Structures are given as C-alpha cells and as structure tokens.
Amino acid sequence: MEQPVTTTWRRKLAVVVVLVLVVFGVATVRLFVLPDLNPLPAHADAIIELAGPGNRDATTMALVRSGRAPVVAQSTVPVEAGTHRCLPAVEGVEVLCFNPDPGTTRGEARYIGEMAAQRHWRSVIIVTTPDHALRAQLRISRCFPGTISVATSPLPWWDWFRQIPYQWAASAKALVFQTDC
C-alpha cells in the first residue's frame, strides 16, 4: 500500500530538521564549548585579560604567578581603569588596566594592536572564556600580527544559556560585517 505524499514529505522534512539540529549542536560544541586551542607557550610578551563573565582574574593571576609574561593587562570598565580595582600588584610584573574604545572585543583587539606596536610585543596570551575564545582570537589577529595564545577560565553554567546565542550572533558579525581591525 502506498503512503500518501504528505506523510513522505513530513518524514523527509523531519529528517532534515533533525540533521540541521545535530549539525548546529556539534558546531556549537566545537566552536563555543570545547574550542580547539593551541597549548600555551612557556613565555609570552604579555598576558591580557579580556572583560566578560566568569572568574577570569583567577586564571590570569595563575598565569602571572607562573612567570608566563613580564606584563599583564586587564580590560576594565571606565570606572575601574587606572584604579585599585585592577589586578593586584605582582613583584616583577607590570600591571596595566585599560578601558577599550569601543567597549567591545573589537576595542580590546585595537588596544592590544596599539600596545604591541608601542612595546614591540611579538606574542600574547589572552584570557577569556571558552565561548569567546575563537572570536577573540579572530578579532585580535586582525589588529596584532604576532602569536596569539588563548587561556580559558570556566564559564558558570547559568551563563551558557545567554552566551551561546550571543556568541553565534557576534561571530557572524565579526565574520561578515566587521572584517577589519
């Protein structure tokens, strides 16, 4: 007995929808949950903590204490830039605070590019969260020609619900509309 055309069409549509959802899920995990990052170098010219959710300070300070770089810079909000709310002083390490303009990853990338040119940096370690790692690396690579390594700090589970859609949209914007430094 032959099935009605509408039943066959619905099954094909259901298979396509499931496949699209699986591909989207795999891409989300690969790009934002478990990004493929190179191992961190033993030494870099600077460690730069990007602003955003998660306890990035702990990851940054662990890298600083392990002697990975002589300079650490932290992206802050305007009220904190240049104040005691920046990262704590560490002997033998220069601690900088900056307020990017614009106050986005693009602004942070521009700051990194400018500071690298002034200070002759050839390598940096960026501290961010896994969801932001690949987009941050992309943005910074457009402004800084040196080696960019990324260290990630955990993102609290409740932030994933907000960050995944945001990162998809922000990544599309970075890839399609804002392709320069």
Side-chain angles (χ1 to χ4, degrees):
M1 180 176 190
E2 216 173 290
Q3 292 185 340
V5 173
T6 57
T7 304
T8 303
W9 183 82
R10 284 182 184 162
R11 284 185 184 155
K12 287 179 182 178
L13 179 62
V15 168
V16 169
V17 168
V18 168
L19 287 175
V20 167
L21 289 174
V22 167
V23 168
F24 181 76
V26 169
T28 297
V29 169
R30 181 75 175 95
L31 296 172
F32 306 122
V33 179
L34 300 170
D36 185 25
L37 302 172
N38 292 329
L40 294 179
H43 185 78
D45 294 319
I47 299 166
I48 297 140
E49 179 183 326
L50 303 181
N55 187 2
R56 298 173 189 211
D57 288 0
T59 301
T60 301
M61 292 310 295
L63 292 168
V64 168
R65 287 188 195 101
S66 70
R68 300 270 180 145
V71 177
V72 63
Q74 181 184 40
S75 178
T76 62
V77 295
V79 177
E80 294 176 343
T83 71
H84 67 281
R85 298 195 71 185
C86 195
L87 292 168
V90 175
E91 189 175 328
V93 176
E94 181 181 11
V95 178
L96 307 171
C97 259
F98 68 97
N99 177 27
D101 182 27
T104 62
T105 306
R106 190 178 200 189
E108 292 169 329
R110 289 175 177 167
Y111 172 86
I112 293 165
E114 291 166 8
M115 289 302 291
Q118 289 174 15
R119 293 172 169 249
H120 309 289
W121 293 343
R122 293 181 313 274
S123 62
V124 294
I125 297 172
I126 304 304
V127 178
T128 189
T129 49
D131 60 297
H132 185 229
L134 295 178
R135 183 169 61 87
Q137 194 170 23
L138 171 68
R139 287 273 195 200
I140 294 164
S141 71
R142 292 174 176 165
C143 301
F144 172 64
T147 303
I148 303 163
S149 301
V150 181
T152 59
S153 65
L155 184 66
W157 67 267
W158 56 85
D159 280 330
W160 285 103
F161 300 107
R162 179 172 47 100
Q163 289 302 319
I164 293 297
Y166 175 80
Q167 293 302 341
W168 270 111
S171 295
K173 180 180 172 184
L175 288 167
V176 177
F177 300 107
Q178 295 178 341
T179 58
D180 62 345
C181 177

